[in-house]
Amino acid sequence: MEHRPGRRRGIAAIVLLVLGAVILGGVTVAKAVNPPSRYTEGKAVGWTMTPTYTNGESIYLEPVAKGGLRRGDVVLASVPWSLQKTQMNRVVAVGGDRIQYKPSSKVAGQYRLVLNGTPLDEPYLEQWKNPSAVAFNVKVPKGYVFLMADNRMNSDGSQYANNGPVPADKVTAKVVAYPMAKLAVWGQLAGALVLLLGAVLAGVARRARGRAGRTAAAPAAGPAVIPAPAAAQPEPGEGGGEGAGEQAPVAAQPGPGDAQAPVGPGGRADVPS
């Protein structure tokens, strides 16, 4: 089979372009078909839940079953300290818990909330941030939840005395970590990268074919052919004398039986009389 320049790159480019289109299409279809019907897609508003959720980030919500709230849940709740209809917060304590904080106390070199006498581990907070800007010591009533945002130094919450715990029935939805959300983002990035790589390879293959075509169209350089010189012919008028330009008569040659006259001195032939 004749090798065509850029053929392999062209095939690879086609494969990558098809693969990228399949990835992007599959992610789009999967995101449209899922999540399950009980989930509702929304957007995070504001910066109160950073670094866990940032403004404009996609979130997925599900209804809250009665008694289904647990410590650590991220929820949407109608809270008295927010001008918005609902605000995203984290459930830090539930009914019956005692939650407190002393800014002067440290556990293992880090400030921590104390829940029912035990330091509370909060991995969702950045290590250098304090868990609260104020001290508090609250016993959460039954049927209430203690809510705080993750951006503790720049948000309001139940830790302030004029706010306090919130009735559990004010929680309207629970924010769930739906795996398809992050999978969709990574899938879209991967599909776009594969498409970009395929386009680059297609351009390289096209240039290789163009160079090969120009080379084939150029005339092949071969050895120069020099014509042989023609035999010299007498020019008209050369030779002088009368009848120049006419062919000189050819003297008859004696045959084998003809007698030849003897040549005398001076080159004169003696012809017998």
Side-chain angles (χ1 to χ4, degrees), residues 142-190:
K142 292 289 186 180
Y144 282 72
V145 288
F146 194 91
L147 301 178
M148 298 177 75
D150 287 357
N151 189 1
R152 301 283 168 82
M153 297 296 105
N154 297 284
S155 62
D156 211 342
S158 294
Q159 68 268 33
Y160 292 97
N162 58 331
N163 295 336
V166 176
D169 58 8
K170 295 292 185 181
V171 176
T172 58
K174 185 188 298 185
V175 181
V176 295
Y178 179 55
M180 187 60 203
K182 290 186 178 180
L183 182 62
V185 173
W186 287 109
Q188 289 170 345
L189 289 176

Side-chain angles (χ1 to χ4, degrees), residues 184-206:
V185 173
W186 287 109
Q188 289 170 345
L189 289 176
L193 183 60
V194 171
L195 282 175
L196 178 61
L197 184 58
V200 171
L201 274 178
V204 172
R206 189 179 298 111

Side-chain angles (χ1 to χ4, degrees), residues 17 28 39 53 90 99 108 117 150 166 170 191 205 217 221 240-241 243:
L17 290 172
T28 302
Y39 291 169
Y53 295 98
R90 187 179 296 274
I99 184 75
D150 287 357
V166 176
K170 295 292 185 181

